[in-house]
């Protein structure tokens, strides 16, 4: 399972 | 990155410039809620904390974050100095403590992870969803607004509304789903629905923004 990337939206 | 998100971010950026232009052209901040502006500054400062360590995310994100923090701080500075004679604390009275408290409670109850950054991020998302309420409340009390102020509110509301198709796009095409941002973003857009309706039926048809 790919670890959730950080928040990439504004 | 998709079209909806770009348009949403541009709409957000445009809204801030319209607000600054409104103050400059009318030489007044009449009709603008200082409370809403302060809530937005809290939103940006708590959400965009990561500019100090995520240089690798993207230049686009980092520069937008800086612009949002600095321009909102500048707006507040102008409202409290140059244009302070137009501030009306008798009208701008919405109980913002409840909004901050409610957002804080939701952030502590449902963060993605129990880290300071994640709890503050969640807080900022919930706070943003209701930060416009003091402004809308003020609008309701005065019953009318300058046209340029309604353009500002429309652009600001359109930003989160445009994020909704962005989230659908990402969910179906990228398998990316962010339940906190999505639920809060839908609430935020719903809060604008009355305003959008009057903006569409009056301002876009050349009439003055007046509440029925």
């Amino acid at each position: 399972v790919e670890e959730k990337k950080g928040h990439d939206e504004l | 990155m998709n079209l909806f998100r770009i348009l949403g971010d541009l709409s957000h950026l445009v809204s801030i410039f319209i607000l600054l232009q409104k103050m400059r052209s009318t030489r007044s901040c009449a009709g603008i809620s200082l409370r809403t502006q302060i809530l937005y500054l809290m939103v940006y400062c708590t959400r965009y904390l990561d500019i100090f360590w995520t240089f690798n995310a993207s230049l686009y994100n980092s520069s937008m974050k800086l612009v949002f923090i600095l321009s909102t701080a500048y707006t507040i500075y102008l409202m409290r100095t140059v244009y302070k004679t137009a501030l009306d604390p008798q009208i701008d009275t919405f109980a913002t403590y409840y909004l901050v408290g409610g957002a804080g409670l939701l952030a502590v109850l449902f963060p993605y992870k129990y880290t300071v950054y994640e709890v503050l991020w969640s807080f900022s998302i919930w706070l943003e969803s209701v930060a416009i309420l003091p402004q809308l409340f003020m609008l309701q009390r005065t019953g009318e607004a300058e046209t340029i102020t309604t353009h500002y509110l429309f652009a600001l509301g359109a930003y989160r509304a445009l994020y909704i198709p962005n989230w659908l796009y990402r969910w179906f095409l990228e398998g990316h789903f962010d339940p906190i941002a999505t639920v809060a973003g839908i609430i935020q857009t719903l809060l604008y629905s009355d305003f959008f309706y009057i903006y569409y039926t009056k301002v876009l048809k050349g009439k003055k923004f007046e509440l029925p």
Side-chain angles (χ1 to χ4, degrees), chain A residues 3-10, chain B residues 5 48 61 118 121 166-167 170:
Chain A
E3 196 181 328
K4 190 174 174 297
K5 265 170 55 179
H7 303 292
D8 60 355
E9 288 176 348
L10 294 166
Chain B
R5 192 179 143 195
Y48 301 154
N61 269 18
E118 283 293 329
W121 179 87
N166 155 62
W167 290 320
R170 296 192 70 179

Side-chain angles (χ1 to χ4, degrees), chain B residues 132-198:
Chain B
I132 200 63
L133 284 175
Q135 177 66 64
L136 293 178
F137 179 69
M138 201 169 155
L139 201 66
Q140 200 162 41
R141 288 189 74 167
T142 50
E144 56 175 43
E146 290 165 303
T147 301
I148 191 165
T149 303
T150 65
H151 295 328
Y152 158 66
L153 285 170
F154 176 77
L156 188 59
Y159 143 63
R160 223 48 177 173
L162 283 162
Y163 259 67
I164 296 174
N166 155 62
W167 290 320
L168 284 170
Y169 179 96
R170 296 192 70 179
W171 185 24
F172 290 118
L173 280 99
E174 296 170 19
H176 170 97
F177 181 58
D178 184 332
I180 295 178
T182 306
V183 172
I186 291 171
I187 293 172
Q188 183 168 345
T189 303
L190 286 175
L191 293 182
Y192 277 90
S193 48
D194 271 4
F195 169 81
F196 284 148
Y197 179 74
I198 302 172

Side-chain angles (χ1 to χ4, degrees), chain B residues 105-135:
Chain B
L105 192 66
L106 286 170
V108 168
L109 290 177
F110 316 109
Y112 287 132
K113 279 185 212 154
Y114 278 100
T115 61
V116 174
Y117 169 65
E118 283 293 329
V119 171
L120 284 177
W121 179 87
S122 176
F123 168 76
S124 81
I125 291 287
W126 292 115
L127 187 62
E128 185 194 333
S129 73
V130 292
I132 200 63
L133 284 175
Q135 177 66 64

